[in-house]
Amino acid sequence: MNDGMNEEAQRERLGHSDLDIEDALLDEAVNTVVTGAERLNRRWPELIVTGFFGGVDVGLGILAMVLVKQATGSDILAGMAFGVGLLALKLAHSELFTEEFLLPLNAVIAGQGTWLQVLRLWSVSLVTNLLGGLGFGWLIVVGLPDYHGTIIDSAVGYLDQPSLPVMIALSLLAGATITLSTRMQQGTSDDVVAALTCMISGLLVIGLGMLHGALNAIVIFAAMLAGADISVTDFLAWFAVVIPFNMLGGLVIIALPRVARTRRVLKALRTGRISLEDLERESSE
């Protein structure tokens, strides 16, 4: 009994919320629910444009990656250069598939959105990411003919995996890494820290040869346009494996455990025990 009382007193010292949750987790729940609801309720033009420019912003990172890889031959340095694309995503408030799985999940669980809206967000983001990446990839191929060899070698490296288990593991890692990276960026207001997070994430994803459907597809598209011996069937077979496991990596490894941390707040919102306005006010106190 004393242990229970001590635990309760300890929680009270950690946070002032009557939801029996630490202040930091309360703030996280509020921010993710509000931002997730905003993204779920975007109008079609906004959703399409943010997804399209997500592909373009990542294309900027691919451009930097190709430049550094050809100049140095180092995948590690090329990965750090690719971080420019992730930073562009943050600064431009664009949408990248697997980037923010936690936000819409929390919004739906809290009753601030629907699963149909989640499906719309993810499907439109993926398609528009690919379209934006295809357009930017075409510009890279047309404008930089001297870099075709590097682009093709990179694309073949993504497609030519030693085994299916390796392919699955690299896809899971990529989904988890990108989701965690953007979650970490949300946890800081320091632009320098955010930039370092982007550089490190790029180093890991590109430097280790992880497989991310929306990112790698831009390189593969560019390689196909540059004349690589890659068919549409080859791409689709690769894509059909990578995308589902990117999603699993982002959802199961990163997003769902964080949902469990704030489940009491989300349940209180959903059942009407507390309103989102009251929760925002309590978080700001």
Side-chain angles (χ1 to χ4, degrees), residues 54 56-62 64 80-90 198-199:
V56 172
D57 293 340
V58 169
L60 179 66
I62 297 296
M80 294 182 70
F82 172 76
V84 170
L86 298 179
L87 183 60
L89 277 170
K90 174 180 171 56
C198 292
M199 299 302 116

Side-chain angles (χ1 to χ4, degrees), residues 58-230:
V58 169
L60 179 66
I62 297 296
L63 187 61
M65 179 197 81
V66 170
L67 171 65
V68 172
K69 186 170 183 177
Q70 179 151 318
T72 66
S74 170
D75 288 333
I76 294 176
L77 293 177
M80 294 182 70
F82 172 76
V84 170
L86 298 179
L87 183 60
L89 277 170
K90 174 180 171 56
L91 297 179
H93 303 287
S94 303
E95 189 86 38
L96 177 67
F97 183 72
T98 77
E99 181 193 12
E100 283 292 7
F101 275 152
L102 181 64
L103 302 182
L105 280 182
N106 273 5
V108 171
I109 294 170
Q112 306 299 310
T114 67
W115 291 113
L116 185 60
Q117 287 177 306
V118 173
L119 179 62
R120 183 184 76 124
L121 174 66
W122 289 348
S123 59
V124 172
S125 296
L126 178 58
V127 172
T128 52
N129 282 171
L130 294 176
L131 290 175
L134 176 61
F136 201 88
W138 176 78
L139 289 176
I140 293 174
V141 171
V142 173
L144 301 169
D146 293 341
Y147 289 83
H148 287 187
T150 300
I151 294 170
I152 292 173
D153 288 344
S154 298
V156 170
Y158 294 138
L159 293 169
D160 187 17
Q161 295 299 315
S163 68
L164 182 59
V166 169
M167 191 174 181
I168 290 172
L170 291 175
S171 301
L172 289 168
L173 286 170
T177 301
I178 294 296
T179 302
L180 180 58
S181 170
T182 50
R183 186 72 200 97
M184 290 167 63
Q185 292 169 37
Q186 278 202 329
T188 180
S189 58
D190 190 320
D191 291 338
V192 174
V193 173
L196 287 173
T197 301
C198 292
M199 299 302 116
I200 293 171
S201 299
L203 181 153
L204 294 174
V205 173
I206 301 300
L208 291 172
M210 295 181 191
L211 302 178
H212 189 283
L215 304 182
N216 300 158
I218 300 174
V219 181
I220 296 171
F221 289 159
M224 293 168 71
L225 292 170
D229 185 19
I230 300 172

